[in-house]
Amino acid sequence: MKRLMLKYGVVGLLGTLIHFAALFVLVEAFHLNPVVGSTLGFLLVLIISYVLNKWWTFQDAPSGWKPFVKYVVVSLTGLLLNSGIMYTVVDWLHWNYLLGQCMVVLAVPLSNFIFNYYWTFRQETVSPNSKG
């Protein structure tokens, strides 16, 4: 389990770096709203992290569309949490958007790991009573 969490953490760290970089470029170079920039960065990282987690972290996970759809559901839940935190920090509290993104990094990864470990990439077990 420790090795699995370490791999997930490495993928998460890479995703976090990509997310921050995308957010910074989108806000500073393209003058997008920070909430929109964070959302677009999150979506970019969604694809990259799924591929890395599927093929490196959870190597024995089932293949096909089902795990990807589950990953998207988990990630969209994370996106809602991400966007809610960014909206609260930037638009309500009027704090710096990078501080908001730091708060996102504290909240989202743990919840995503738990859902991905126990639901998305879980090996499907065959019941002894099932036919097939």
Side-chain angles (χ1 to χ4, degrees):
M1 178 68 113
K2 286 182 184 180
R3 184 176 178 157
L4 191 69
M5 289 182 76
L6 179 63
K7 286 182 172 185
Y8 192 85
V10 168
V11 171
L13 180 60
L14 178 62
T16 299
L17 293 173
I18 293 168
H19 195 170
F20 265 94
L23 171 63
F24 185 79
V25 168
L26 291 169
V27 170
E28 299 300 329
F30 295 100
H31 308 290
L32 286 181
N33 176 285
V35 176
V36 173
S38 183
T39 300
L40 292 173
F42 190 93
L43 294 173
L44 172 65
V45 171
L46 167 94
I47 295 164
I48 293 169
S49 64
Y50 174 77
V51 170
L52 291 174
N53 278 314
K54 170 66 181 104
W55 297 110
W56 186 54
T57 308
F58 300 101
Q59 296 171 1
D60 298 327
S63 294
W65 284 101
K66 189 174 181 180
F68 180 71
V69 170
K70 288 180 176 182
Y71 193 83
V72 169
V73 169
V74 170
S75 295
L76 288 176
T77 302
L79 175 60
L80 290 174
L81 183 57
N82 175 92
S83 298
I85 291 170
M86 287 298 288
Y87 179 78
T88 300
V89 168
V90 172
D91 291 340
W92 283 7
L93 300 175
H94 305 287
W95 295 351
N96 185 280
Y97 69 92
L98 293 175
L99 179 61
Q101 195 63 38
C102 289
M103 296 175 85
V104 165
V105 169
L106 295 175
V108 175
L110 181 60
S111 65
N112 281 3
F113 176 80
I114 291 168
F115 285 119
N116 283 321
Y117 180 76
Y118 287 106
W119 187 53
T120 306
F121 294 113
R122 191 180 88 196
Q123 289 274 353
E124 292 187 20
T125 56
V126 178
S127 168
N129 297 331
S130 67
K131 296 180 183 179

